Amino acid sequence: MIDWIKNNTTLTIAIYGAVLSTIALIWNIYNSSQDKPKIKIKTKFGFFSSSTGSEGPFLFIIAINKGKRSVYLSSFGLRTGNEDLIPNRITGIPCELKGGTSHDEFFKINELKNREFDFAWYRDATGKIYKSKSINKKLNNYFKSKKTKKELEE
């Protein structure tokens, strides 16, 4: 083997260079895939508490950046068919969502009654939309449980 390497020095260097280039290419592709923002959108029900008591209930829409790169969130809302419900109040949007952080916004539950929503979403500054899983069943279950509690109280 050593004799073959000595006799074919140019070929050996070419093979060595090709192997190193391939490893470097794979490493760069891996690093660039890890450097992207990885946004996950979740929804949950909750309340705000303050010195005057608790307010709510609300549907919180949470954007979680599991990636390393920051993303700039520009808007959020709920999708119903081809229309979006966007709040008409001042929110914390636009904002920078850094890697490993989260941001949440909310809707008052009463604003969502008797409507069918497909999913919650956030849009970034480039126009890309990040969607949650379907929220229709979650909202329907919430409103059904409210009806059941009222019926039990009566």
Side-chain angles (χ1 to χ4, degrees):
M1 181 73 169
I2 293 176
D3 288 335
W4 185 87
I5 292 172
K6 286 181 182 177
N7 294 335
N8 299 302
T9 307
T10 306
L11 182 60
T12 303
I13 292 172
I15 292 170
Y16 178 74
V19 169
L20 281 181
S21 296
T22 303
I23 291 170
L25 178 66
I26 291 169
W27 182 254
N28 285 334
I29 290 170
Y30 172 77
N31 277 340
S32 79
S33 72
Q34 296 300 309
D35 198 27
K36 293 179 183 176
K38 294 181 177 97
I39 309 299
K40 183 166 179 107
I41 308 299
K42 292 185 173 188
T43 58
K44 69 177 184 178
F45 299 106
F47 294 85
F48 284 123
S49 60
S50 64
S51 59
T52 59
S54 64
E55 298 177 41
F58 298 101
L59 176 69
F60 288 92
I61 304 171
I62 305 148
I64 304 163
N65 187 352
K66 294 184 176 186
K68 295 178 183 176
R69 183 165 299 216
S70 294
V71 66
Y72 292 88
L73 301 175
S74 61
S75 60
F76 73 99
L78 299 174
R79 175 74 46 95
T80 175
N82 291 330
E83 297 179 8
D84 290 322
L85 176 63
I86 300 172
N88 54 2
R89 62 180 159 69
I90 297 174
T91 67
I93 296 284
C95 73
E96 178 183 10
L97 185 61
K98 295 182 179 182
T101 62
S102 66
H103 178 83
D104 58 88
E105 294 288 344
F106 64 90
F107 282 94
K108 292 180 181 176
I109 291 291
N110 294 338
E111 296 174 359
L112 311 178
K113 209 172 206 175
N114 301 322
R115 296 183 71 181
E116 299 280 325
F117 291 101
D118 300 323
F119 56 85
W121 57 267
Y122 275 91
R123 180 177 287 126
D124 70 14
T126 66
K128 182 174 181 181
I129 294 180
Y130 304 96
K131 302 175 184 180
S132 72
K133 292 181 180 178
S134 176
I135 62 171
N136 194 20
K137 186 175 180 182
K138 183 182 257 189
L139 286 170
N140 286 338
N141 287 341
Y142 176 83
F143 290 120
K144 283 180 186 175
S145 72
K146 284 294 187 187
K147 287 179 185 176
T148 305
K149 286 180 184 177
K150 284 182 182 178
E151 290 169 0
L152 290 173
E153 290 172 358
E154 292 175 354

